[in-house]
Amino acid sequence: MRRFAWLAALVLASVPLATPAAAQALACRKGQSFERWLDGFKQQARAQGVSQATLDAAAPFLTFDKAIIAKDRGQGVFSQSFLEFATRMVQSRMSSGPAHLRKHAALLARVEKEFGVPGPVIVAFWALETDFGVNNGSLPVLRSLATLAYDCRRSEMFTEELLYALRIVQRGDLSPGEMRGAWAGEIGQTQFSPSGYFKYAVDFDGDGRRDLIHSAADVAASSANLLAKGGGWRRGEPWLQEVRVPARLPWEEADLAIKHPRSQWARWGVALADGRPLPADTMPASLILPMGRGGPAFLAYPNFGAFLEWNQSLVYATTAAYYATRLAGAPQVQRGPFPAATLPAPQILELQRLLARDGYEVGKLDGKLGLATRAAVKKAQLKYGLPADSYPTAELIARMRSGR
Ligand code: CA
């Protein structure tokens, strides 16, 4: 299961690419009114086991809100580098994070015992998502989801999410009035999607309800359960470790999709951040270079997959994982010997067009340096004989423009 992939965009200062007027939004429904769409949706919900009583209770919130459409259309582009984003997100939370680790020490110990996920990992998401419940969002979730389901952009997915939100109501976890959250329907102190809530939320304080809005115990245990069952968390294993890379390395090996035992990375000259040798054992790891070979470097262990499952943005996932290492006692990340300049969104967009022109698979042309774009960048770097560290540079764009 994936949480909403665009979540990271919500917390970023952004560069809008285009903001069509909300009024245009629903031309796609070809004149079908919200009310007629809603009749059809209710029929579908009943067929899937949602009771009439649940639909009646939800009715006041099953309305259309054009402000939600405008927010969805106005979403910006993720254009911050790892160091910019991590510095902003982590530095300001280096006192609140440890304070919450201490405050909830007993709870987090119980959660780790049951689910295998350590406290610093849970606290990292808890802090980054809502600052421990301060910014849960206050919009009626059912209204946001009904609006986004009626819209055609991602109708199928939001229709599913709306069905799950109704199932949460029916199960008695939250009333329709209590179910308030972020504009895209994320709920609670760690911003679960309704489907994630329904599948992974647990009642850990024993009051009979899974309450991710008010109960710290439910929030901590449910987040751990999601990471364990949805993200495949392995008890007792690390997730991310800062390393130092040598001047020369087969850079194309630095790829999330490639894992080598630590002993292999050690043979290639990768060392711990403080210069000491890596343990030369069989623990598998990927080398990730979120800002290219001159920037910060990390070994990502199998547990890093749980961070990507939470949010598939590499910058967000690496930031959350790094913050968790800080909470577990790791020192501040080094900037790397020569961190590459961050290309702004319009240049990433141009690069994506060049990559697509040459037949590389880049996914959506959106100006975002996502995993698909990084993978295409690596292939182009190999073709042009550049160090294939998957991080785009102005040089690569220039070479692709001229075709040489
Ligand atoms: Ca509870």
Side-chain angles (χ1 to χ4, degrees), residues 203-211 215 218:
D203 170 27
F204 207 61
D205 62 10
D207 72 348
R209 301 198 309 161
R210 298 160 187 85
D211 183 351
S215 165
D218 291 5

Side-chain angles (χ1 to χ4, degrees), residues 206-359:
D207 72 348
R209 301 198 309 161
R210 298 160 187 85
D211 183 351
L212 302 191
I213 293 179
H214 307 99
S215 165
D218 291 5
V219 168
S222 301
S223 303
N225 192 42
L226 186 152
L227 291 163
K229 296 215 176 73
W233 189 271
R234 304 191 196 187
R235 183 185 292 268
E237 290 190 14
W239 54 95
L240 189 81
Q241 185 172 34
E242 192 191 355
V243 291
R244 193 183 282 183
V245 292
R248 283 159 180 272
L249 192 82
W251 296 111
E252 62 275 15
E253 300 294 332
D255 186 320
L256 261 183
I258 297 175
K259 287 182 170 62
H260 289 296
R262 268 198 293 219
S263 55
Q264 176 62 62
W265 294 115
R267 267 199 294 282
W268 276 325
V270 176
L272 294 175
D274 61 10
R276 284 180 302 132
L278 272 182
D281 59 17
T282 57
M283 170 80 82
S286 301
L287 176 64
I288 55 174
L289 304 169
M291 298 177 71
R293 68 195 196 285
F298 299 95
L299 286 185
Y301 296 106
N303 276 338
F304 186 70
F307 288 85
L308 279 172
E309 196 61 33
W310 189 287
N311 189 308
Q312 45 185 310
S313 152
L314 180 67
V315 170
Y316 181 95
T318 310
T319 296
Y322 160 64
Y323 180 39
T325 66
R326 295 292 309 280
L327 293 174
Q332 196 173 339
V333 66
Q334 296 168 22
R335 302 186 59 82
F338 51 96
T342 309
L343 297 178
Q347 262 180 286
I348 298 286
L349 188 60
E350 185 195 352
L351 176 67
Q352 288 175 324
R353 291 199 175 113
L354 289 166
L355 289 164
R357 179 201 69 186
D358 289 359

Side-chain angles (χ1 to χ4, degrees), residues 39 56 60 83 211 217 289 404:
D39 285 342
D56 290 345
L83 278 174
D211 183 351
L289 304 169
R404 279 177 297 185

